[in-house]
Amino acid sequence: QVQLVDSGGGLVQAGWSLILSCAASGRIFSINIMAWYRQAPGKQRELVASMPSGGNTNYGDSVKGRFTISRDNAKNTVYLQMNSLKPEDTAVYFCHMVIHTIGGLTNYWGRGTQVTVSS
C-alpha cells in the first residue's frame, strides 16, 4: 500500500512564502511523475507544477516565476516553494504522483493541505 502525506500549508499574508512537501511511502519501485495541483472553492482542480523523472518541469501560467517544484528521489518526496504569494493562490493543494509498484503504474493523491493568503 502506497500513501502520500502532504504538509506545509498555512495562513500567510500576500507577498510571503511557503514551502509544501509531500512524501510517498510504501512498496515503491520508482516514481515517474511528481506534481502539485490545487483547487479553490467553486473551481476545478488545476495543475500547479509537475516534474517527470527525466523530463522538463511544467508550470501553470499563473504561478510561473513565483513557484518552484523540486524532488528528492532518495526520499520519494516532492516540494513546492511558493514565493510572492497572492490572495488568488488560496486553495487546497494536493500532491500527485504516478508511481511504479508491483501492480504497475498507478496514480496516487495526497489528502491536501490548505493554503490561505490574506491581502
Side-chain angles (χ1 to χ4, degrees):
Q1 187 77 6
V2 173
Q3 287 188 325
L4 271 57
V5 178
D6 42 25
S7 62
L11 171 62
V12 297
Q13 294 183 349
W16 287 22
S17 297
L18 274 177
I19 183 164
L20 307 181
S21 63
C22 176
S25 62
R27 296 199 65 183
I28 297 170
F29 291 168
S30 63
I31 302 177
N32 286 18
I33 299 173
M34 294 186 181
W36 289 95
Y37 286 74
R38 69 185 181 186
Q39 187 166 18
K43 295 187 177 181
Q44 289 188 330
R45 190 171 296 189
E46 64 174 356
L47 174 69
V48 177
S50 65
M51 176 175 270
S53 59
N56 297 324
T57 57
N58 184 37
Y59 292 93
D61 289 341
S62 62
V63 306
K64 286 179 181 177
R66 299 188 298 122
F67 291 11
T68 303
I69 189 171
S70 61
R71 58 189 287 170
D72 185 336
N73 292 324
K75 296 181 179 180
N76 292 331
T77 299
V78 61
Y79 304 95
L80 185 68
Q81 175 70 49
M82 305 185 292
N83 298 328
S84 302
L85 283 161
K86 304 175 180 180
E88 50 264 43
D89 294 319
T90 296
V92 178
Y93 285 70
F94 299 90
C95 65
H96 170 255
M97 297 187 188
V98 180
I99 299 177
H100 186 197
T101 67
I102 194 171
L105 283 174
T106 305
N107 288 290
Y108 291 92
W109 291 89
R111 296 180 66 179
T113 184
Q114 176 71 45
V115 172
T116 303
V117 184
S118 64
S119 58

